[in-house]
Amino acid sequence: MFRRILLSAALIAPLLAACGESSTEAGGIEAGDAWARASAARTGAAYLTLANRGSEADTLIEVRSPMAERVEIHDMTMEDMVMRMRKLDSLPVAAGASVELAPGGKHIMLIGLAGPLEEGESLPLTLVFEKAGEIGIEAPIRAAGHSGH
């Protein structure tokens, strides 16, 4: 009886672990650890990690969400003690590399939100890659003060 329980646990554990992962993959590109910051304003931000498991570089060329009029890829940098944000036309992801979109750096900017991003809900995003095509992902919305994965 004990052996059956151990065997069952050993078989079920990998399935449960897979269910807990928050990533989506297409064409060698994996998008994971997505989240968005709660916002009452008409703008918001989302973050995630992109991993290129393929043998060729790929490029994130567009991001869409039905919850925003416009979605842009942005980068924040510090120049002469001033934080500057600029729009990126695209975001390359080298073969075998990862790119983290995180607070204080590269991120997804949501402009013209249809409504507030409320903690506990989720934000649908469509990532469009030059080679991998489209990847749909849901970003859980976390508290406004949240600053990491």
Side-chain angles (χ1 to χ4, degrees), residues 73-84:
I73 306 162
H74 280 204
D75 192 11
M76 289 183 78
T77 57
M78 189 69 120
E79 297 174 19
D80 299 322
M81 303 294 288
V82 176
M83 187 70 82
R84 301 208 188 270

Side-chain angles (χ1 to χ4, degrees), residues 84-118:
R84 301 208 188 270
M85 185 166 49
R86 67 184 174 101
K87 180 184 174 204
L88 301 176
D89 292 327
S90 62
L91 183 62
V93 185
S98 293
V99 176
E100 184 177 11
L101 285 78
K106 293 173 180 57
H107 60 280
I108 296 168
M109 192 77 197
L110 305 150
I111 302 162
L113 288 169
L117 297 180
E118 295 187 25

Side-chain angles (χ1 to χ4, degrees), residues 28-41:
I29 298 290
E30 182 179 306
D33 298 325
W35 65 281
R37 183 175 285 147
S39 171

